[in-house]
Amino acid sequence: MPVTKITQKIDGLSGGWSLDGGFNLAVSVYIQCTPGTDPEAMLRSLGLPVGATYRFPLTGTPTATNPRLFLESISIDSVDGDGAGAHLTAKFTPADPSKDDRGPVDEHGNRDPFAAPPKLRWATEAEEFAVTHDKAGQPILNAAGEPYESGVVIPLSTPIAVVSRLAREFDEAWLDVYKGRINSVPW
């Protein structure tokens, strides 16, 4: 069941700016449709693909655009009592879907978290290393010429790279292959 007409709402503009998120703009339209039109057809009637950038108006020739604001969401705000019309709002923010690390979004707007790239996080493990010789290779001794009882220790930190990704299945036996291993291949 088709959408028959899309009208830009003059009073349907909103937006804001914040230090954390930058600009966000929202544009509302009114669509006329045959009663019983599928909600997904209403949303798709705007013709805004994933990754679309801001334009105003959404209908006709744009008089304002911003290539740094991307489509974040489209919502159906209300539907007329007879089902022959609906108010839709498209919200644009600086969040570029192509740079989102939660996984790519397909042409239908579905996110696949299993296709997300692996995430890298660094950690360190602190240890102490007992030093028995100085830089010249001579033993470290006290005034009596004997090694120190408590020894001389220096802090030693081992960098640890933690690589993670979401997997549909996981075989726990796979852990034994890598447990306690050190990567000996240069990166």
Side-chain angles (χ1 to χ4, degrees), residues 14-33:
S14 64
W17 179 88
S18 71
L19 188 59
D20 291 334
F23 281 99
N24 66 76
L25 301 171
V27 180
S28 296
V29 295
Y30 178 76
I31 63 166
Q32 292 175 336
C33 52

Side-chain angles (χ1 to χ4, degrees), residues 127-133 140 150-156:
E127 299 178 65
E128 289 185 339
F129 178 71
V131 180
T132 58
H133 291 76
I140 300 175
S150 61
V152 178
V153 294
I154 59 171
L156 178 68

Side-chain angles (χ1 to χ4, degrees), residues 129-181:
F129 178 71
V131 180
T132 58
H133 291 76
D134 64 13
K135 288 183 180 180
Q138 299 297 318
I140 300 175
L141 306 172
N142 61 18
E146 298 175 356
Y148 287 96
E149 282 186 28
S150 61
V152 178
V153 294
I154 59 171
L156 178 68
S157 66
T158 304
I160 299 171
V162 179
V163 181
S164 61
R165 72 180 178 110
L166 191 59
R168 293 182 199 278
E169 298 175 3
F170 184 73
D171 182 5
E172 291 183 30
W174 188 72
L175 289 174
D176 293 331
V177 174
Y178 296 100
K179 188 192 308 184
R181 303 279 193 237

